[in-house]
Amino acid sequence: MSDGTALPGPDGALRCPWALSTPDYVAYHDEEWGRPVHGDDALYERLCLEAFQSGLSWITILRRREGFRAAFAGFEIARVAEFTEADEERLLADPGIIRNRLKIAATVANAKVLAGWAPGELDALIWSHAPDPAGRPVPKTLADVPAITPESTALSKALKKRGLRFVGPTTAYALMQACGLVDDHLDGCVARGAA
């Protein structure tokens, strides 16, 4: 039973306990989570996947990521912005993704909004909410990792004000963690500070 601190992984290196349940998680934890992500399409993908994850386990999304990429035109904003109601109906029948009508509609609607933004605008907006790392203590246990922060609340409000949907403060914070705006790898974790 873990006390929420970093635990040895299959290779003996310490990792965040959530990352140890499957090889998929180990790879995601070590190679992606918490590493800086830039680019409007890349950030749009992560924002969409975090929204689809709401109410589900991340492993469900992670294992269907290639299905999501195929279904949503590689998360190219310009291409998804051209999706029609017929495309949304097609997606509702796609077993390679989570078939949630509201989340699918939000993914398409968000692309339509973002297609009107200047190149780099989404990247700049998201990264403008990155907190100063010097002001953040290194989490020692999972209990030290928040679900929302003032920065994620501000990011959520900024995205909603600009017309995006399914971008609440918890989703915004998960995005910040996944895309390296914050480093929530636990103290002693092999991936801490690897970005």
Side-chain angles (χ1 to χ4, degrees):
M1 190 75 167
S2 169
D3 59 1
T5 59
L7 295 173
D11 58 359
L14 294 178
R15 288 181 177 79
C16 302
W18 63 262
L20 298 175
S21 62
T22 72
D24 295 339
Y25 264 161
V26 173
Y28 176 71
H29 169 272
D30 288 3
E31 298 163 18
E32 290 186 64
W33 194 75
R35 307 250 176 159
V37 173
H38 285 281
D40 292 344
D41 289 343
L43 288 165
Y44 167 68
E45 174 183 352
R46 302 295 171 77
L47 188 62
C48 294
L49 293 177
E50 294 298 346
F52 270 101
Q53 186 270 328
S54 181
L56 303 169
S57 70
W58 179 245
I59 196 68
T60 301
I61 304 303
L62 192 59
R63 288 182 174 159
R64 293 184 183 193
R65 185 161 53 173
E66 291 310 315
F68 276 106
R69 286 176 173 160
F72 288 101
F75 289 101
E76 291 180 37
I77 294 168
R79 291 178 62 198
V80 179
E82 295 174 354
F83 281 21
T84 64
E85 287 183 21
D87 289 307
E88 291 184 33
E89 291 302 316
R90 171 184 54 81
L91 292 168
L92 282 169
D94 187 335
I97 66 169
I98 303 302
R99 294 173 285 184
N100 178 296
R101 184 176 296 278
L102 293 175
K103 292 175 183 180
I104 289 169
T107 299
V108 174
N110 287 348
K112 291 180 188 300
V113 169
L114 293 170
W117 292 21
E121 195 170 349
L122 178 62
D123 189 301
L125 176 65
I126 289 173
W127 278 91
S128 73
H129 289 82
D132 178 0
R136 292 179 52 84
V138 176
K140 298 194 181 321
T141 71
L142 292 177
D144 297 332
V145 178
I148 62 171
T149 63
E151 294 87 0
S152 74
T153 301
L155 174 57
S156 170
K157 287 179 181 176
L159 292 168
K160 286 178 182 178
K161 183 177 180 182
R162 300 287 301 273
L164 299 186
R165 298 168 18 194
F166 262 94
V167 289
T170 303
T171 297
Y173 193 67
L175 175 77
M176 294 171 80
Q177 292 174 304
C179 295
L181 280 75
V182 296
D183 184 353
D184 277 344
H185 287 286
L186 301 181
D187 187 36
C189 174
V190 68
R192 175 125 191 117

